[in-house]
Amino acid sequence: MEQTTGKGTASREPLEFPAFVAARGRHLLRTAFLLTGGDAHLAEDLVQEALGRVYGKWRRISRMENPAGYAQTVLANTFLSYRRRRSSTERATDSIPEAGVSDPDPALRLTLLRALGELAAVDRAVLVLRFREDRSVEETAAALHLSPTAVRSRSSRAPARMRARLGEESAAVLCLALLTRPSARRT
């Protein structure tokens, strides 16, 4: 549908954006879920905010070589900026979520989310981007505005912290769970 701006030039909504959201939305949500340490509501909010930022620049982004990678970077930066804000008015409650999640091993999932939640936000973002999203050191560094050396350091120290808290055997199982992509588990 054509719309005109105040200057008389015609502009229209990018038609590819809804298809992009349909194709990548669930993946972004899973990533956000890991970044937030299992907070599904915050993950949804972060994805919505990130997609809003992407939509604002969609004409330029849609011509990029990897718009999905750009969206992941926006999501990671949205998460990190949220963690820096201290003015959040939301408070945690002790109420139980309405619906459960179908998961073959909920104990493992909860242990992984708890272990990730105990890490610093930047460490968590590095682990998720490096191992879950399978990004290179350089891509992760660019996405998080860190040096490649800082990414390598955090990539080795964060799992060491998890091993120290959980023990070697538990940490190995958790790392496998983190590395297993959702598409590979859906057989």
Side-chain angles (χ1 to χ4, degrees):
M1 174 181 240
E2 292 287 314
Q3 296 177 355
T4 57
T5 62
K7 297 180 181 179
T9 59
S11 66
R12 59 189 174 104
E13 177 184 7
L15 297 176
E16 308 89 22
F17 188 74
F20 173 79
V21 172
R24 300 298 299 173
R26 289 182 56 102
H27 182 77
L28 289 170
L29 186 59
R30 282 190 298 267
T31 300
F33 188 75
L34 289 173
L35 288 172
T36 61
D39 186 340
H41 298 292
L42 177 57
E44 290 170 354
D45 291 345
L46 291 174
V47 169
Q48 184 175 7
E49 187 174 337
L51 286 174
R53 291 178 183 180
V54 168
Y55 179 76
K57 299 176 183 177
W58 183 249
R59 289 178 191 246
R60 180 176 53 86
I61 294 168
S62 65
R63 292 188 294 264
M64 291 179 150
E65 185 176 318
N66 186 5
Y70 185 87
Q72 289 290 87
T73 298
V74 171
L75 177 64
N77 288 332
T78 301
F79 165 71
L80 291 175
S81 69
Y82 170 81
R83 296 292 295 172
R84 282 186 220 113
R85 282 185 260 158
R86 298 292 182 212
S87 63
S88 175
T89 59
E90 294 183 20
R91 302 288 180 245
T93 66
D94 59 352
S95 64
I96 299 173
E98 301 84 35
V101 176
S102 171
D103 194 354
D105 192 355
L108 175 62
R109 182 174 211 235
L110 291 174
T111 304
L112 172 63
L113 292 174
R114 188 180 69 245
L116 283 172
E118 291 174 359
L119 295 175
V122 176
D123 288 344
R124 195 176 328 150
V126 166
L127 286 180
V128 170
L129 291 178
R130 282 282 294 130
F131 301 114
R132 175 71 177 186
E133 300 300 322
D134 199 27
R135 289 194 180 192
S136 69
V137 170
E138 292 75 21
E139 290 171 333
T140 303
L144 300 177
H145 305 292
L146 297 171
S147 70
T149 303
V151 170
R152 281 190 288 276
S153 174
R154 288 179 181 274
S155 294
S156 65
R157 290 182 183 161
R161 286 187 197 113
M162 288 175 70
R163 280 191 297 276
R165 287 188 181 127
L166 301 171
E168 286 294 326
E169 191 172 308
S170 295
V173 170
L174 291 174
C175 288
L176 283 175
L178 182 63
L179 292 173
T180 305
R181 295 189 173 272
S183 59
R185 288 188 296 222
R186 271 192 246 140
T187 57

